[in-house]
Amino acid sequence: MQTIEQIYTAEVEEKKSTFLAYLCPMNAFESLHVKLKNDHPKAAHIVWAKRFYNEFRQVVENNSDDGEPKGTSGPPVLNVMRGVELIEAGLLIVRYFGGIKLGTGGLVRAYGSSAKEVIAHAKLIPFLFKEILTCKTDYPLVPRFEHYTTTQNITVVKREFESDGVVWEIEVSEEEKEQFLLFAHTFERDGFKRL
């Protein structure tokens, strides 16, 4: 499986219709969809597809033809995403009608090629399951933990400063979790604890 970390765009023209494709991480999908509706009020359609994991680590897929003939736009976009095993991502395509009808086969090709074009410009990275790990350190240990998270590229989701120490929420893969717990284990007597 592969994913992305930022938004990518591409433009395709087919028989005077313009297709603006946007590929985004799943956490940006809803806000980007709203923004595109506001930025392109004269667009004929905003077609989309998305693939993500639910809390049970099952792949969830959804798509919308947004008024195009059923099955001619959303499913082809979703199929392109499946083909490159793209997950935790959404793909939206804004269409400006150019006056020439494309027909069902033409729509399938145009939306599919728009999806392929934006994915070709994207930097795809391997997808890793991550989880949030919560722990607490006494204040003397804070510099060591800051150094570790910085040098190991561990994402600190949240830090809360309390009277007796700092509560950390970090996002880690399975491998990062094992390494972090090995590192942190040596500080248990000095004021480290998992929450």
Side-chain angles (χ1 to χ4, degrees):
M1 292 289 192
Q2 303 181 96
T3 193
I4 50 166
E5 292 181 330
Q6 66 184 62
I7 297 173
Y8 296 92
T9 62
E11 184 175 327
V12 173
E13 195 166 307
E14 184 73 34
K15 293 186 180 174
K16 297 187 178 178
S17 281
T18 303
F19 296 84
L20 307 172
Y22 297 83
L23 178 62
C24 68
M26 205 54 232
N27 61 6
F29 181 82
E30 294 302 328
S31 60
L32 179 59
H33 196 193
V34 169
K35 182 180 182 330
L36 292 176
K37 283 181 179 179
N38 291 333
D39 291 353
H40 301 279
K42 293 187 174 163
H45 308 278
I46 300 179
V47 166
W48 57 263
K50 58 185 175 180
R51 297 183 81 223
F52 59 94
Y53 282 109
N54 66 14
E55 65 271 21
F56 306 109
R57 293 190 177 186
Q58 299 165 318
V59 176
V60 177
E61 299 177 327
N62 208 339
N63 68 81
S64 168
D65 291 315
D66 191 39
E68 292 281 28
K70 187 170 173 48
T72 61
S73 49
V77 173
L78 184 57
N79 285 335
V80 170
M81 294 176 75
R82 286 179 184 142
V84 293
E85 297 186 326
L86 196 56
I87 195 75
E88 288 300 322
L91 208 158
L92 301 104
I93 300 176
V94 178
R95 179 187 180 195
Y96 282 95
F97 183 59
I100 300 172
K101 292 192 175 185
L102 302 178
T104 55
L107 286 171
V108 169
R109 281 189 301 278
Y111 279 105
S113 64
S114 298
K116 288 175 185 169
E117 184 70 20
V118 74
I119 290 171
H121 289 90
K123 181 182 178 196
L124 302 180
I125 57 172
F127 174 79
L128 295 172
F129 279 106
K130 296 211 172 189
E131 67 177 282
I132 301 292
L133 186 66
T134 306
C135 59
K136 186 170 185 174
T137 58
D138 288 350
Y139 279 106
L141 292 176
V142 170
R144 290 181 190 169
F145 279 77
E146 283 177 335
H147 181 263
Y148 182 86
T149 57
T150 303
T151 58
Q152 300 302 311
N153 291 320
I154 303 290
T155 303
V156 177
V157 178
K158 192 162 106 182
R159 268 190 329 182
E160 283 187 16
F161 295 89
E162 298 180 347
S163 60
D164 59 341
V166 176
V167 175
W168 304 77
E169 283 186 13
I170 58 173
E171 188 179 50
V172 288
S173 66
E174 285 294 322
E175 186 179 325
E176 290 169 334
K177 179 180 175 181
E178 284 179 35
Q179 294 300 316
F180 176 77
L181 293 176
L182 281 172
F183 160 78
H185 179 72
T186 57
F187 300 107
E188 284 179 356
R189 280 175 279 138
D190 300 328
F192 166 80
K193 48 191 163 287
R194 256 183 94 178
L195 302 177

